[in-house]
Amino acid sequence: KVTQEEPQERRIPKEEIPNRLYAYAGLTHSGKLMKKSDQEACIFYKIAADLGQKEAMWLYADCLMKGEGVPVNKKEAYRYFEMACEKGSTDSMFVYATYLEKEDDLASIQKALYYYEIAAEKGEKSSMLNLGTMYWKGKGTEVNMEKAIKYFKMSADKGVSVAMNNLAVCYKNGMGVPVDSEKAFYYY
């Protein structure tokens, strides 16, 4: 005798709700598997962010900066970037720092240096490259070729081609390191 059981109510564990909302937002934002809707994505990024999901925080902030699905609001975007950075999101640190680096004031540029450095030390390869570039050019700080070389090497070791090229230029021209045509060739 075959009996059909009553369907049981499935509940999502409370701690999983922010991650599920974030995942749904990502699917609607990308248009993969469902209709693309920046507006709907931003609604769900914000809800997930307000529930503490750190990746949703910076993605919502990025939507606010670009005006994707919501009106542009730099002040609110920076607040959400800061929240994600405080939770340790290296992706947020990198993206936030790229926006800060474009600002006209020294305090913002130095804040970009700060976030690039934290993200770089945690292994974020694009932050390593950008930090090296800021030390190379003296942007927001004094020119420091020793630090520029350090961060270019870290980034190059992770396969970032621009960092490899920058190292090649440094070795070719003796910028912060002795002229070394073999190392220049290696990095080219």
Side-chain angles (χ1 to χ4, degrees):
K1 185 175 176 182
V2 177
T3 61
Q4 189 173 9
E5 292 184 27
E6 289 288 319
Q8 293 186 347
E9 185 176 315
R10 293 183 62 206
R11 292 184 181 253
I12 298 172
K14 187 177 181 178
E15 63 276 2
E16 272 300 306
I17 292 172
N19 292 333
R20 302 275 179 105
L21 293 168
Y22 161 69
Y24 178 79
L27 291 172
T28 58
H29 198 198
S30 70
K32 295 179 182 172
L33 302 177
M34 48 188 23
K35 185 179 176 191
K36 180 173 174 55
S37 171
D38 291 340
Q39 188 174 11
E40 189 169 336
C42 286
I43 290 167
F44 284 93
Y45 280 144
K46 183 176 186 330
I47 294 167
D50 290 343
L51 291 172
Q53 213 293 339
K54 67 183 178 182
E55 301 308 320
M57 290 173 186
W58 79 263
L59 286 163
Y60 178 63
D62 202 40
C63 288
L64 287 165
M65 288 298 292
K66 295 175 180 175
E68 290 180 353
V70 290
V72 171
N73 186 334
K74 187 165 94 172
K75 184 178 178 181
E76 186 73 354
Y78 280 11
R79 187 173 78 79
Y80 276 90
F81 276 126
E82 290 278 344
M83 288 167 44
C85 290
E86 287 172 16
K87 287 190 160 278
S89 170
T90 56
D91 289 333
S92 178
M93 291 175 196
F94 169 72
V95 174
Y96 186 33
T98 61
Y99 284 119
L100 290 168
E101 188 180 352
K102 294 173 189 170
E103 297 286 341
D104 291 333
D105 63 293
L106 182 60
S108 293
I109 293 168
Q110 288 175 332
K111 197 175 207 179
L113 271 168
Y114 170 78
Y115 281 119
Y116 280 145
E117 189 158 11
I118 293 171
E121 295 301 328
K122 290 183 175 193
E124 207 291 313
K125 64 186 179 183
S126 296
S127 292
M128 295 169 188
L129 170 65
N130 289 9
L131 186 58
T133 303
M134 289 181 82
Y135 281 119
W136 188 4
K137 294 180 177 180
K139 188 171 184 180
T141 185
E142 296 291 319
V143 170
N144 186 327
M145 288 307 295
E146 185 178 317
K147 285 186 176 182
I149 298 296
K150 170 189 169 182
Y151 288 109
F152 287 153
K153 281 183 180 177
M154 289 170 64
S155 186
D157 288 346
K158 291 188 171 274
V160 177
S161 60
V162 174
M164 292 175 197
N165 187 68
N166 290 351
L167 281 171
V169 168
C170 290
Y171 281 110
K172 179 181 176 186
N173 298 310
M175 299 169 64
V177 290
V179 172
D180 187 329
S181 57
E182 286 182 30
K183 283 188 179 178
F185 181 77
Y186 171 78
Y187 284 111
Y188 274 127

